[in-house]
Amino acid sequence: MPVTTNVFEPEVHHMVLETVFRGVEHPLSTPSAPIHQYRGIKYATLPARFRQSKLFTSYPPLVDASKFGPICPQVKNMNSFEEALFSLNEDDIPQQILKHNEFECLNLNITCPSGLNAQSRLPVMVWVHGGDDRGHGSSWVYDGGALVGKSILVGKPVILVTFNFRIGLFGFAAGPQLREDGQESVGNYGLRDQRTLLEWLHNYITDFGGDPSNITLFGQSSGAFDIVCHLLSTLNEARPLFHRAIIQSAVFDYNIPDVASAGCQLSRLMSTMHLSTISQLRAIDADQLVKFGRSMRAVDDGVFFRHDWKDFLSPEDSHKSHHHSLNLVVPKALSALRSHSHTPKPNASSSSTPGGARSSIFQPLLIGDCASDSMLWSTPISYWSSAAAARRIKAVCQSLSKTNTLFHTYDISSYTADEEIAEHILELVNDARIAWPTDCFAQNARREGGGVWRYVFDQEGPWSCIPHHAADLMYLFDNVPLPESSTRSIAGSSLQDSLSGEAEMFPDSFTFEDDDDEDIKYSPIVRDDDAMSSDDGGWGVPSVASWSYSRVRDTMQEQWINFAYGEAPFSEDKVFVFGPEGETGERSQSIFEGRRRRTLWKKALEPLGMQVVHKMGVELSRGPPLRG
């Protein structure tokens, strides 16, 4: 007789949507921490390419939520930025085969404890993925099983939501030629998809056991900056749909184009594709568009962003005279939101009104960065020569005295040895694109009375032993296979070598295939104490010690969970450190000067201003112009 296997299929009977969502038991589910997952739930529809998404509410009586849904079209057969940065061997990367479909990519995944109902009202953590024009919310890297499991074990269960939205050209094309009749707004389709996702959660997460009045947005890299955009949006002023935010190594964009400038860029792109009308652009196959739009992000259309949004990205001294005239009264919608949410309580150092209520225009923030975030751009930066880099910096700065100060501060000159210049440019780009803007935004948010908790992540990545961009994700989500020993072979041990394979972003030809196999094959993840210890003294780079990994992982997960519960994760007047070598804990603000270059920012970057510094950082991170 054939052997039958009983596979448990959890279900959510959704009263409001009048349907049943049938999910799966998560592979990490245990009797002490039972976890369910509902995958590929459609949250929005698209009427057409380059149109705003619409909330989806009409489901069949039974919804199969056992498989991940399609993702936004992107270049195929290419590792994600995270996978490249992690320096994993190919055999250690779990294989995912997902459909690419522009019009069916707006779907979400819910990972939650079992046994929930509409009365459970658990905090909801919503992850906004990064990756710019590649990546997706269904990535194995951000699977919520381990984090939800930890929340159960520490007695503070949460629901974790990941989701897909439009990216690249599909999500951020803009221009007057795309403006819809009767609408002022244009572009920012990916950002508005995210807002639609929040609308769906606000309306329908209750029957999954979540609390729509207790939602925490968290994200990294371009996803973290998307959260910054939402914080600075007019919609967040009028009707906020999330209650706190965690911003991890945001890649800030100060020089956001207006609609006219974005339209010129779109016209040049269409000319490259030999297209003359928007109708032709809308009709072309999606697989022909994935290689374009890499540099397309948010646009200032005069509608999405509040009028003073740039003030919050600039150094505080540059707009002191302006912020005294700002109205510091909390918008009514945000005030009402806070009065019904579990907002972190201010400590004695926090600003407050005489009545005890917080005077803030922002939701509470937990914000920080990694020590070596600029490793994200290490490959293009490695191509700079000293002479070429010095010329480029001079051309951007347009000031001899300010340029000389910058050169002296970062030890850059045309006489610097070419084999050493990349290290100095990495430091400058790290400060220009992530570290300094992060500090400016944090200080400005605190200036307006917002609860702001500052951290620095200096813990080494388990494979590369560098606190690189996205290293924090390895600890937070705890999904990355760890080294089986503390040595690695010379081949593949270099982070830059790992990224160099990603330098050719756009192959000459593309294939577009739909594969019905959507299963993920998880590699075994090393967790035992001996796995990261070294028995041989061979040629290799020592990996992170097991106790060090576990300590940073557990501390980071618990801090993020506490914040989602509305608790102050640590003293607001302190800095929390993760690493190096397993160090964790609150430290005084004075330690920040030793961990980041704040004194140098004031000396070399502030005189140039954020606009010039951002332009310089972007141009340096792209590498020197290619010669034909």
Side-chain angles (χ1 to χ4, degrees), residues 219-233:
Q220 184 261 356
S221 194
S222 60
F225 185 66
D226 287 350
I227 297 174
V228 172
C229 291
H230 288 296
L231 287 165
L232 296 175
S233 69

Side-chain angles (χ1 to χ4, degrees), residues 6-181:
N6 294 324
V7 178
F8 175 64
E9 296 177 325
E11 293 182 347
V12 167
H13 294 255
H14 206 290
M15 304 302 292
V16 178
L17 293 172
E18 299 181 339
T19 187
V20 174
F21 294 98
R22 180 173 293 167
V24 297
E25 189 172 29
H26 195 279
L28 296 182
S29 182
T30 65
S32 59
I35 305 168
H36 295 168
Q37 193 168 62
Y38 301 89
R39 303 169 174 172
I41 298 174
K42 188 172 185 176
Y43 68 85
T45 59
L46 296 177
R49 180 176 292 167
F50 309 136
R51 291 285 190 249
Q52 302 297 352
S53 54
K54 307 294 183 183
L55 193 69
F56 184 74
T57 60
S58 179
Y59 297 90
L62 177 63
V63 176
D64 180 5
S66 64
K67 295 181 179 180
F68 292 110
I71 63 176
C72 184
Q74 52 198 272
V75 177
K76 293 188 175 183
N77 302 319
M78 180 179 286
N79 289 344
S80 69
F81 280 117
E82 293 91 350
E83 290 168 345
L85 285 160
F86 293 162
S87 296
L88 296 174
N89 298 318
E90 285 297 324
D91 293 342
D92 292 311
I93 300 176
Q95 298 302 304
Q96 284 185 285
I97 303 174
L98 301 173
K99 293 181 180 180
H100 294 214
N101 190 314
E102 175 186 0
F103 298 102
E104 296 295 332
C105 69
L106 302 185
N107 54 77
L108 61 90
N109 312 301
I110 299 172
T111 307
C112 58
S114 68
L116 303 182
N117 55 45
Q119 286 71 49
S120 299
R121 308 283 289 188
L122 297 186
V124 181
M125 300 182 71
V126 181
W127 175 253
V128 185
H129 75 80
D132 223 357
D133 67 334
R134 56 200 246 236
H136 53 89
S138 301
S139 170
W140 65 272
V141 175
Y142 336 117
D143 181 86
L147 188 56
V148 170
K150 173 57 69 70
S151 75
I152 297 172
L153 294 176
V154 300
K156 295 179 179 178
V158 299
I159 292 175
L160 196 149
V161 176
T162 62
F163 67 106
N164 295 308
F165 51 91
R166 284 173 289 177
I167 58 176
L169 184 69
F170 306 100
F172 294 95
Q177 57 270 56
L178 293 179
R179 199 182 299 274
E180 299 179 44
D181 293 339

Side-chain angles (χ1 to χ4, degrees), residues 193-238:
D193 291 344
Q194 296 166 14
R195 174 76 183 189
T196 303
L197 175 279
L198 291 173
E199 291 274 6
W200 193 96
L201 294 176
H202 183 77
N203 293 332
Y204 306 121
I205 197 61
T206 300
D207 279 5
F208 285 91
D211 183 355
S213 66
N214 190 8
I215 293 177
T216 299
L217 276 187
F218 69 130
Q220 184 261 356
S221 194
S222 60
F225 185 66
D226 287 350
I227 297 174
V228 172
C229 291
H230 288 296
L231 287 165
L232 296 175
S233 69
T234 55
L235 288 172
N236 193 54
E237 284 188 290

Side-chain angles (χ1 to χ4, degrees), residues 403-419:
T403 301
N404 287 336
T405 300
L406 187 77
F407 282 169
H408 177 75
T409 301
Y410 289 91
D411 197 15
I412 294 173
S413 77
S414 57
Y415 303 106
T416 306
D418 283 345
E419 60 269 21

